[in-house]
Amino acid sequence: MTSQADLVALDQSDPLAPKREEFSIPEGLIYLDGNSLGALPKAVAQHLERVVEEQWGRDLITSWNKHGWIDLSARVGGKIARLIGADPDEVIAADSTSINLFKVLLAALKLRPERRVIVSDIDNFPTDLYIAQGVNQLLGQSHELRLVKKEQVEAALDEHTAVLMLTEVDYRSGWRYDMAALTRLAQAKGALVIWDLAHSAGAFPVRLNACNADFAVGCGYKYLNGGPGAPAFLFVARRHQGAALPFLTGWMGHRAPFDFDPYYAPAEGVHRMKVGTPPVLSLSALDKALDVFADVDMNEVRRKSLRLTDLFIERMEPLCRRYGFELITPLEHERRGSQVAYAHPEGYAIMQALIASGVIGDFRAPNILRFGFTPLYVRYRDVAEAVERLEQVMSQELWKAERFRERAKVT
Amino acid sequence: MTSQADLVALDQSDPLAPKREEFSIPEGLIYLDGNSLGALPKAVAQHLERVVEEQWGRDLITSWNKHGWIDLSARVGGKIARLIGADPDEVIAADSTSINLFKVLLAALKLRPERRVIVSDIDNFPTDLYIAQGVNQLLGQSHELRLVKKEQVEAALDEHTAVLMLTEVDYRSGWRYDMAALTRLAQAKGALVIWDLAHSAGAFPVRLNACNADFAVGCGYKYLNGGPGAPAFLFVARRHQGAALPFLTGWMGHRAPFDFDPYYAPAEGVHRMKVGTPPVLSLSALDKALDVFADVDMNEVRRKSLRLTDLFIERMEPLCRRYGFELITPLEHERRGSQVAYAHPEGYAIMQALIASGVIGDFRAPNILRFGFTPLYVRYRDVAEAVERLEQVMSQELWKAERFRERAKVT
């Protein structure tokens, strides 16, 4: 068992400890929900003020050139590329994860016109599945959407598979796929692979090109700390950039947007995946937020993430025995993202009571308490303190209060 | 000819004059490009600071409920509805104009499955045409995209027309369609009509429901002053809301996003047209920017807009004769938006020189100088002063300087 002295020592010797100072974390709050909305990097507030006052307010339309708004999608994409094992010219930041998935899924299906099956995980984040359903409806239900449990994914792949579409880390359990192995297996069957990195980018080193990934998408507002609803990102492996077409063909993806040609011609490379004018304020926040990672070794992030999640699991063991929490996150490091989740029939009310006690995690239907560990700002002592507060919530039956049972719009 | 004394009197008696104080306009600058990027409403800067520090920074994930982020798309849509003659539950703010057009164009085509022609204006803003081309490619080139000149639109409509898709005000010439008449004509042939209000919303009163429009989209960053790349909006007439489906089916458009059901079921009404998580920072800027309109009579805006553009045209007459500017904006009020444009073979260099002299308009290929008049912050005396500076640019041949001839990325 890790002692109090061990915790202090762990925090003191943590090479990432100084990073916490770069974030604005409310006093006394233990924030274990960076996998839903990353905390505010302090530099973002100041940067955004300048973008509003100086770029928009003072330089107005000239900022498209003067402050490089026109290249912002690509510049932000380049910063993300380093974190996900891609080259800068393979990534753009734009739109939402859902819309980016729509673009790359359509592009991928058109690269495998003779194949009619999309394989995915039935427990994939719903928007990914909805997008696949919408795409299939659009194509006249020409495809089969084969949704299976994680352990059946390999068996579901065959010579009819056009696309394997997976989120690397399960948003509920924190279960992590073996990206290299699954990519290899799917490609051996002739399929293309799309990875959703919503719970991967910024959480641990991702190696898209080392795994030979075809396409990827991901989220700007979780571990990348880009702010609420931050623009998402999109990756197209260089080998597909000539043939992959977006179908969502907007002027920002045109070869020469300011020629105002009435006929569409795709821009070079990944740039054709841009559609409309990007939300510059939100994109600028993400741009600045990514600078927090500039001097960060992602291997160090992973080491600390595993120590934090190991520690949480260890501390939670007595509560599991005493109160019936059931760990649903893999113990095996290779199969784990940067979160830990427990099932409990009273999960909703327990999480509400825990939040009221100053520990923010979240609830995922039907019965899951989810705790995200962001190594850049979560301390070892936060982990111990979070479990202590949960112990109080349980031992004092705080969660039984009426006010914790009423469902809010967003849970 | 309007005298200097007339100008002073016009500004003094202008009921919209106090509105200028609500905007941050750089000292000495004459900004005639609000049709490209609206100026910064002062209240937005302060509001955004609070959204960043208090909502994101302090309240973190709880802001989805506490600060109503979850309803922001609909709330902002409701504010826009008043400006475009729609009901609040017919409009949402989301994504970009291009993506919104993609959604409503697909929805409209699926409502007319037996018809195979999309009619539009060959001079429509290119992204609208690109989106239609992408949609058609996606549908296996099943449709004909019939692109015609403005005067041929009526003749192009027939019993094969599925959708008539027009931008109400031409982005180059400022030519304005008769929305009521065109909608009636197209519907008489059995077609559906999509209006792009990019240069209409916030510029003059739009009457979508009075004109019986079917669908509409529009831009948040021009006359609505929502900031660079602000989220766009989308209108679905209530009579179509039951049958119109988005195809871009993301979790925010699901009936119950937080049930995390793996199968898509559309939300009620226009809400199903939401896709992914919206960019809350950019959307909050637009939200606050719209409050500038709260006490504004849009008929007053239109009156002033016509006076400003009339005055500009009057003052430009001698320059047309002397330097060869050719007015391409209609003199007829009913056919005019809130901008005035001139063709000139040296348009690019002339506009660069004019910008250097402190009057910002913009250039549109191949040869058009475009001037936007935003009645909320442009004064009558600005109009006179702008023409005087242009006269200087021409008489002193300032535009011949080498530095004004090099094309910037965005022009």
Side-chain angles (χ1 to χ4, degrees):
Chain A
M1 182 81 180
T2 320
S3 72
Q4 194 58 36
D6 293 340
L7 292 176
V8 171
L10 277 168
D11 277 325
Q12 279 176 348
S13 64
D14 173 14
L16 293 174
K19 279 283 147 188
R20 183 176 162 93
E21 285 310 304
E22 297 182 31
F23 290 87
S24 172
I25 311 278
E27 189 66 30
L29 184 75
I30 296 175
Y31 191 61
L32 304 181
D33 208 9
N35 53 341
S36 192
L37 172 64
L40 168 65
K42 289 173 183 167
V44 169
Q46 209 180 356
H47 179 64
L48 210 54
E49 206 180 304
R50 272 202 303 271
V51 171
V52 170
E53 299 278 6
E54 296 172 19
Q55 299 185 12
W56 175 12
R58 186 192 64 199
D59 294 335
L60 288 153
I61 194 68
T62 66
S63 294
W64 282 101
N65 292 312
K66 190 168 178 179
H67 299 290
W69 290 349
I70 195 69
D71 301 315
L72 199 51
S73 280
R75 225 160 52 235
V76 174
K79 289 184 185 180
I80 295 169
R82 190 183 75 85
L83 304 178
I84 58 175
D87 288 333
D89 64 353
E90 293 176 311
V91 184
I92 54 162
D95 302 317
S96 62
T97 310
S98 303
I99 287 172
N100 286 338
L101 182 59
F102 184 89
K103 290 183 250 179
V104 299
L105 178 56
L106 270 171
L109 290 176
K110 295 290 179 175
L111 292 177
R112 290 291 179 274
E114 73 292 355
R115 291 169 170 238
R116 296 287 159 177
V117 181
I118 302 164
V119 174
S120 194
D121 177 339
I122 182 105
D123 292 316
N124 200 344
F125 188 71
T127 210
D128 295 47
L129 303 179
Y130 302 161
I131 289 293
Q133 289 158 37
V135 162
N136 196 22
Q137 194 175 6
L138 195 48
L139 299 177
Q141 303 289 0
S142 54
H143 288 64
E144 177 197 344
L145 183 56
R146 197 177 287 168
L147 301 182
V148 298
K149 286 284 187 187
K150 288 184 174 52
E151 56 277 15
Q152 297 160 338
V153 167
E154 187 178 337
L157 300 168
D158 59 26
E159 71 281 7
H160 303 296
T161 310
V163 172
L164 169 64
M165 182 187 98
L166 294 172
T167 298
E168 188 185 11
V169 175
D170 186 288
Y171 75 106
R172 277 183 291 222
S173 67
W175 199 94
R176 180 182 175 185
Y177 277 103
D178 183 339
M179 180 185 282
L182 261 298
T183 303
R184 206 166 40 237
L185 281 165
Q187 289 174 346
K189 302 282 186 187
L192 292 166
V193 187
I194 301 173
W195 288 102
D196 181 340
L197 304 175
H199 293 270
S200 309
F204 50 76
V206 179
R207 298 188 178 88
L208 284 177
N209 280 332
C211 295
N212 199 39
D214 297 296
F215 298 93
V217 297
C219 177
Y221 55 80
K222 296 178 187 293
Y223 294 97
L224 298 182
N225 313 304
F233 64 87
L234 172 162
F235 158 90
V236 179
R238 195 174 295 110
R239 66 185 176 282
H240 295 307
Q241 289 184 357
L245 288 167
F247 296 96
L248 252 170
T249 47
W251 73 311
M252 286 292 160
H254 190 274
R255 186 182 303 164
F258 292 93
D259 282 1
F260 300 100
D261 189 309
Y263 298 98
Y264 175 75
E268 288 298 308
V270 74
H271 298 284
R272 66 182 59 169
M273 293 288 168
K274 296 186 281 192
V275 187
T277 308
V280 170
L281 303 183
S282 285
L283 194 51
S284 295
L286 174 59
D287 183 34
K288 195 66 190 175
L290 287 164
D291 288 347
V292 169
F293 286 95
D295 59 354
V296 168
D297 175 356
M298 289 306 293
N299 294 306
E300 198 58 65
V301 169
R302 180 60 173 168
R303 268 192 293 278
K304 184 175 174 188
S305 163
L306 290 171
R307 280 186 193 150
L308 290 167
T309 50
D310 276 346
L311 176 64
F312 189 72
I313 291 168
E314 174 198 307
R315 293 274 168 146
M316 278 292 290
E317 273 170 15
L319 282 76
C320 290
R321 287 193 301 273
R322 211 171 298 150
Y323 305 112
F325 292 102
E326 183 201 344
L327 178 67
I328 61 165
T329 300
L331 285 172
E332 191 192 342
H333 282 177
E334 284 301 300
R335 294 282 70 72
R336 191 192 302 167
S338 197
Q339 68 174 66
V340 180
Y342 294 88
H344 192 290
E346 298 292 345
Y348 181 80
I350 292 168
M351 184 52 81
Q352 297 315 303
L354 185 63
I355 290 171
S357 86
V359 177
I360 298 188
D362 63 23
F363 172 78
R364 284 292 171 259
N367 64 350
I368 290 162
L369 298 105
R370 188 176 79 154
F371 301 92
F373 297 87
T374 304
L376 298 185
Y377 52 77
V378 172
R379 298 166 298 194
Y380 293 97
R381 64 171 138 142
D382 294 332
V383 172
E385 175 75 17
V387 178
E388 277 167 37
R389 294 198 202 168
L390 181 56
E391 163 67 36
Q392 282 173 1
V393 164
M394 299 310 296
S395 63
Q396 299 174 21
E397 300 190 338
L398 301 177
W399 60 272
K400 290 190 172 171
E402 198 52 46
R403 68 192 166 111
F404 296 139
R405 314 192 72 81
E406 227 171 83
R407 293 278 175 113
K409 276 185 187 166
V410 181
T411 57
Chain B
M1 181 82 179
T2 320
S3 71
Q4 194 59 34
D6 294 338
L7 292 177
V8 172
L10 278 168
D11 277 325
Q12 279 176 348
S13 64
D14 173 14
L16 293 174
K19 279 283 147 188
R20 183 176 162 93
E21 285 310 303
E22 296 182 31
F23 290 87
S24 172
I25 311 278
E27 188 65 31
L29 184 75
I30 296 175
Y31 191 61
L32 304 180
D33 208 11
N35 52 341
S36 192
L37 172 64
L40 168 65
K42 289 174 183 165
V44 168
Q46 210 179 357
H47 179 64
L48 210 55
E49 207 180 306
R50 273 202 304 272
V51 171
V52 170
E53 299 278 4
E54 296 173 19
Q55 299 185 12
W56 174 14
R58 186 191 66 200
D59 295 333
L60 287 155
I61 194 70
T62 67
S63 293
W64 282 101
N65 293 312
K66 190 169 178 179
H67 299 290
W69 290 350
I70 196 69
D71 301 315
L72 198 51
S73 279
R75 225 160 52 236
V76 174
K79 289 183 185 180
I80 296 169
R82 189 183 76 82
L83 304 178
I84 59 175
D87 288 333
D89 64 352
E90 294 176 309
V91 184
I92 55 162
D95 302 316
S96 62
T97 310
S98 304
I99 287 172
N100 286 338
L101 181 59
F102 184 89
K103 290 184 249 179
V104 300
L105 177 56
L106 269 170
L109 291 176
K110 295 290 178 175
L111 292 176
R112 291 289 179 275
E114 73 292 354
R115 291 171 170 235
R116 296 288 160 175
V117 180
I118 302 165
V119 174
S120 194
D121 177 340
I122 183 105
D123 292 317
N124 201 343
F125 189 69
T127 209
D128 295 47
L129 303 180
Y130 302 162
I131 288 294
Q133 289 158 36
V135 161
N136 196 23
Q137 194 175 7
L138 195 47
L139 299 176
Q141 303 289 358
S142 53
H143 288 65
E144 176 196 343
L145 182 57
R146 195 176 289 168
L147 300 182
V148 299
K149 286 285 185 186
K150 288 182 174 55
E151 55 277 15
Q152 297 161 337
V153 167
E154 186 178 337
L157 299 168
D158 59 29
E159 70 281 10
H160 303 295
T161 311
V163 173
L164 170 64
M165 182 187 100
L166 294 172
T167 299
E168 189 186 10
V169 176
D170 185 287
Y171 76 106
R172 276 183 291 221
S173 67
W175 200 95
R176 181 182 174 184
Y177 276 104
D178 183 338
M179 181 185 281
L182 262 296
T183 302
R184 204 165 43 234
L185 280 165
Q187 289 174 346
K189 302 283 186 187
L192 293 165
V193 187
I194 301 173
W195 288 102
D196 181 340
L197 305 175
H199 292 271
S200 309
F204 50 75
V206 178
R207 299 188 176 89
L208 284 177
N209 280 333
C211 294
N212 199 39
D214 296 295
F215 298 92
V217 297
C219 176
Y221 55 79
K222 297 179 186 292
Y223 294 97
L224 298 182
N225 313 305
F233 64 86
L234 171 163
F235 158 89
V236 179
R238 196 175 294 108
R239 65 185 176 281
H240 295 307
Q241 289 184 358
L245 288 167
F247 297 94
L248 253 170
T249 48
W251 73 311
M252 286 291 159
H254 191 274
R255 186 183 301 163
F258 291 91
D259 282 0
F260 298 102
D261 189 310
Y263 298 99
Y264 175 75
E268 287 299 307
V270 73
H271 297 285
R272 66 181 60 169
M273 292 288 168
K274 295 186 282 192
V275 186
T277 308
V280 171
L281 303 183
S282 286
L283 194 51
S284 296
L286 174 59
D287 183 33
K288 195 66 189 177
L290 287 164
D291 288 348
V292 170
F293 286 96
D295 59 355
V296 167
D297 175 356
M298 289 305 293
N299 294 307
E300 199 58 63
V301 169
R302 180 59 172 168
R303 267 192 293 277
K304 183 175 173 188
S305 163
L306 290 172
R307 279 185 195 152
L308 290 168
T309 50
D310 276 345
L311 176 64
F312 189 73
I313 292 169
E314 174 197 308
R315 293 274 167 145
M316 279 291 290
E317 274 171 15
L319 281 77
C320 290
R321 287 193 302 272
R322 211 170 300 149
Y323 305 112
F325 292 103
E326 183 200 347
L327 178 67
I328 60 166
T329 300
L331 285 172
E332 193 191 340
H333 283 178
E334 283 303 300
R335 292 285 68 73
R336 190 192 304 167
S338 197
Q339 69 174 65
V340 180
Y342 294 88
H344 192 290
E346 297 293 343
Y348 182 80
I350 292 168
M351 183 53 81
Q352 297 314 304
L354 186 62
I355 290 170
S357 85
V359 177
I360 297 187
D362 63 22
F363 172 78
R364 285 292 171 258
N367 64 347
I368 291 164
L369 298 105
R370 188 175 80 155
F371 301 92
F373 297 86
T374 304
L376 298 185
Y377 53 77
V378 173
R379 299 166 298 193
Y380 294 96
R381 64 171 137 142
D382 294 332
V383 172
E385 175 75 19
V387 178
E388 276 167 38
R389 293 199 203 169
L390 181 55
E391 163 68 37
Q392 281 171 3
V393 163
M394 299 310 294
S395 64
Q396 298 174 22
E397 300 191 337
L398 301 177
W399 60 271
K400 291 192 172 170
E402 200 51 46
R403 67 193 166 110
F404 298 137
R405 315 192 72 81
E406 225 169 85
R407 292 279 175 113
K409 276 185 188 167
V410 181
T411 55

